[in-house]
Amino acid sequence: MTQPPPTRVLLDCDPGIDDALAILFACGHPGLDLAEVTTVSGNVDLGKVTANALGVLELAGRPDVPVVPGSARPLLRPVADARDVHGESGLGAASLPPARTEPVAGHAVDFLIEQIGAAPGEITLVATGPLTNIALAVRREPRLAGWVKDFVIMGGSAGRGNTTPAAEFNIWADPEAAAIVFSAGWQVTMVGLDVTLQARATPAVQERMRPLGRLAADLLLPGLLGYRGEAPAEGGPAVHDVLALALVAEPGLFGCQPARVEVETAGQWTAGMTVTDFAAPAGTRNALVAMSIDVPAFWDTVLSSYRRIPAAAG
Ligand code: RIB
Ligand code: CA
């Protein structure tokens, strides 16, 4: 049976340890074509997330993928990073050599519009950081919502948050951007904490990574070692962003439910909450919310994707 062509992905991200593992997954999975990367301030500042994206792509053997920097701060709120989780560099205890490539000139917002507008219906847009670039792009060019093949985010939660009791980091960091994105008229596939907290890089998972050459030694293991997110007692670091790309590559691993998602922007204690209504009338639903995942099959596809990266050999 002939395989369908790989899905072309434009990834907007804030590397970030799990963003880095997501980039590696996208480079290794045969069903994905990671064609473009844009960066946004989030886990660490714009300069660092951009340098990290370039460095991870070089380690993955993909220095050809263009990296275009975007917003250095949220739309309205002050910059709030996650160095306490991802470390000063943004890659935990991993230390990659500076990339030999440079970011592409220009701004991510213009790049997103140009690339997606030039290939309507062909590009799956995936966002694994705060939604600042995406909000600016869809406000500048509302037709973007109809031009994407699909739009998938790592962000939000139908239940509790991880940055506050109510809000998950990517939404909490820029709630106004998220509110614009969820009301832009497209279907947002929301890969939130409901599923990402189920996929832990346990010690057994990390042992499966250990034989993966420089990929493991230079990034996977030191990155996970330096990750200060979820408590180790809960099994190990959650690789949140990898699940967003895994849903694009292998949607059958996930169970998703349609819902109406509204983003709280006014609450003193609830700003960034993704208020998820699974009982909303069909015509008002703006999201497909991932609520279940086949965890063993997820890790099998992640490891097999990593093994396909040249740096995993020897
Ligand atoms: O809440 C998890 C999300 O916040 C992930 O995207 C992680 O990289 C951080 O950006
Ligand atoms: Ca991220």
Side-chain angles (χ1 to χ4, degrees):
M1 182 177 78
T2 56
Q3 293 297 327
T7 300
R8 180 176 167 186
V9 170
L10 192 162
L11 175 64
D12 186 73
C13 57
D14 64 332
I17 296 161
D18 55 331
D19 301 77
L21 270 61
I23 290 170
L24 294 179
F25 176 80
C27 290
H29 194 285
L32 298 178
D33 167 22
L34 181 61
E36 299 99 355
V37 171
T38 55
T39 57
V40 62
S41 166
N43 286 318
V44 288
D45 69 37
L46 184 64
K48 289 179 182 175
V49 298
T50 303
N52 291 340
L54 291 166
V56 172
L57 286 164
E58 187 152 313
L59 176 65
R62 293 299 311 280
D64 58 295
V65 177
V67 176
V68 188
S71 305
R73 54 163 300 143
L75 295 184
L76 294 179
R77 301 199 185 224
V79 175
D81 64 36
R83 281 174 293 168
D84 57 330
V85 174
H86 294 264
E88 277 299 321
S89 73
L91 293 179
S95 170
L96 298 180
R100 285 164 290 189
T101 52
E102 294 289 329
V104 169
H107 194 283
V109 171
D110 299 323
F111 183 77
L112 280 161
I113 295 167
E114 287 155 15
Q115 293 297 109
I116 297 170
E122 295 180 25
I123 295 177
T124 293
L125 177 58
V126 182
T128 60
L131 294 169
T132 317
N133 290 339
I134 312 300
L136 290 169
V138 78
R139 271 289 160 90
R140 183 179 170 96
E141 178 47 84
R143 292 177 293 174
L144 196 72
W147 287 344
V148 293
K149 180 176 185 227
D150 281 307
F151 175 50
V152 180
I153 73 168
M154 189 282 137
S157 169
R160 292 179 59 83
N162 62 356
T163 305
T164 70
E168 175 279 324
F169 176 80
N170 287 336
I171 312 299
W172 173 84
D174 197 341
E176 287 73 22
I180 289 169
V181 168
F182 274 92
S183 60
W186 46 18
Q187 173 181 272
V188 181
T189 298
M190 182 173 104
V191 180
L193 299 178
D194 316 283
V195 285
T196 66
L197 289 175
Q198 296 179 44
R200 300 305 181 97
T202 62
V205 166
Q206 295 188 42
E207 279 312 305
R208 292 173 69 187
M209 295 177 175
R210 196 166 304 279
L212 299 182
R214 283 193 311 115
L215 203 67
D218 293 358
L219 182 53
L220 294 175
L221 296 179
L224 290 167
L225 180 68
Y227 189 82
R228 295 285 177 269
E230 297 71 30
E234 297 167 2
V239 291
H240 305 279
D241 296 336
V242 183
L243 280 81
L245 279 301
L247 185 143
V248 177
E250 302 197 24
L253 298 183
F254 294 79
C256 298
Q257 295 174 31
R260 175 78 191 171
V261 174
E262 299 284 2
V263 180
E264 177 59 62
T265 56
Q268 179 181 354
W269 307 108
T270 55
M273 182 176 181
T274 44
V275 182
T276 305
D277 182 359
F278 292 111
T284 66
R285 296 167 189 161
N286 59 345
L288 201 55
V289 180
M291 294 301 287
S292 64
I293 179 174
D294 179 341
V295 174
F298 166 76
W299 284 118
D300 287 346
T301 189
V302 170
L303 272 295
S304 63
S305 297
Y306 287 168
R307 289 187 196 103
R308 300 178 79 248
I309 295 174

